[in-house]
Amino acid sequence: MKTHAIRSLRDTLASDPPAYGLWVTLEAPSVTEMAVALGVDWVVIDAEHGHLDWHDIAAHVRAAVRSDTVVLVRIAELQRGLVKRVLDIGADGIVVPSVESAEELERAVAFARYPPDGMRGIGAERATAWGQCIAQHAAEANDHVLVVPIVESLRGARSIDALCAVPGVEIFFLGPADFSATAGYAGQWEGPGVAEQLLVVKDAVRRHGKHCGVVATSDSNLVERRQEGFTLLAVGIDGPMLASRIQAALAHAGQPRRFDASLAPPRRPRGSD
């Protein structure tokens, strides 16, 4: 855990400009290293979706060592063992998917904190400098660890006031795609009426004095989200950003291509350049 980076993020958020970050899904730690070299405020390593394993997660965390970039890990589900292992690796906090009740969020906070405030176990791993700084880490961790829920369902939205009342939580993320699915629009980023509902949730979070984040889908959407009052802005997701840039380059070269869900390449006409 990098307490200095967490303090820096809190200072940025307190001064009101958005804190910019990157959502990371690819296994190469160079992705995080590049984001850190550009001075982003935070990254989320997504271990809920995709194929990142523990080796990959640790490599991404190491890519941000001794920087002021906060590293959060999105766990697959709320499990005490997953939370403990992520924090032992040295992440600065956890992102918990699909939180829908205050009870769930209270458990997440408890899993992330040492007794008597929680139930996190003490290990001689990277977070404690391999057992050499157990006392220091134990003294700092509870006040600095970030527990970040994602509100991505209608039920979660209905519980937002109760979620915001849970002590130890200062940041929320919204998940438009899953929210849309629970509203009956699976496959759409923001189905009919969803954009408006998400802004209501964001306003509630801000009204409670908390910060609210979201992933931007384009450069123009990044500006739009800032104008809407989101305070943590992901400039994008690494995989989609790379894929769209390849498509754009091919189109500019006169070779427009489209992805297919089967990942089969498109047939090229004979004689094409």
Side-chain angles (χ1 to χ4, degrees):
M1 171 180 288
K2 304 190 300 300
T3 55
H4 58 88
I6 296 168
R7 292 191 191 104
S8 178
L9 176 63
R10 285 171 172 161
D11 288 344
T12 297
L13 292 171
S15 60
D16 210 25
Y20 291 96
L22 178 68
W23 213 268
V24 177
T25 64
L26 301 177
E27 61 270 31
S30 295
V31 174
T32 293
E33 190 173 20
M34 283 186 275
V36 169
L38 288 170
V40 300
D41 299 296
W42 55 271
V43 295
V44 171
I45 311 304
D46 195 333
E48 180 193 9
H49 298 290
H51 57 273
L52 296 186
D53 60 22
W54 289 106
H55 177 82
D56 299 326
I57 295 168
H60 280 291
V61 171
R62 289 191 184 102
V65 67
R66 289 182 285 278
S67 76
D68 277 334
T69 298
V70 166
V71 179
L72 305 171
V73 176
R74 181 186 191 181
I75 56 178
E77 58 185 328
L78 182 55
Q79 288 185 8
R80 181 179 177 182
L82 290 179
V83 174
K84 177 167 57 178
R85 195 168 187 187
V86 162
L87 296 179
D88 281 352
I89 285 174
D92 301 309
I94 58 169
V95 177
V96 187
S98 196
V99 175
E100 296 185 328
S101 70
E103 292 74 21
E104 286 178 287
L105 190 50
E106 288 167 355
R107 285 203 307 276
V109 173
F111 291 164
R113 291 188 170 191
Y114 290 120
D117 299 331
M119 56 185 73
R120 179 184 172 191
I122 296 177
E125 302 298 335
R126 188 175 180 277
T128 61
W130 301 276
Q132 306 310 299
C133 299
I134 288 177
Q136 177 188 353
H137 182 68
E140 296 176 344
N142 284 7
D143 289 335
H144 291 87
V145 65
L146 297 173
V147 176
V148 182
I150 305 182
V151 177
E152 47 189 344
S153 69
L154 292 174
R155 184 181 176 192
R158 289 192 291 267
S159 302
I160 192 60
D161 289 321
L163 293 174
C164 288
V166 174
V169 179
E170 53 199 282
I171 296 170
F172 288 77
F173 269 103
L174 303 186
D178 282 324
F179 195 102
S180 289
T182 68
Y185 304 106
Q188 297 186 42
W189 182 250
E190 286 181 324
V194 168
E196 293 77 12
Q197 292 178 73
L198 290 175
L199 290 180
V200 170
V201 176
K202 182 267 300 178
D203 289 341
V205 171
R206 300 293 288 138
R207 188 168 59 250
H208 282 276
K210 314 288 184 176
H211 297 285
C212 195
V214 72
V215 176
T217 56
S218 65
D219 293 347
S220 60
N221 184 243
L222 186 65
V223 174
E224 180 183 6
R225 291 304 197 187
R226 177 171 180 163
Q227 293 171 342
E228 288 172 344
F230 287 92
T231 48
L232 287 95
L233 296 171
V235 297
I237 303 173
D238 56 356
M241 291 175 76
L242 177 60
S244 63
R245 183 66 193 94
I246 295 171
Q247 279 187 297
L250 286 168
H252 189 72
Q255 292 291 321
R257 309 290 171 83
R258 295 182 63 182
F259 282 102
D260 184 86
S262 70
L263 298 185
R267 293 183 178 274
R268 297 182 62 186
R270 290 187 179 183
S272 62
D273 294 330

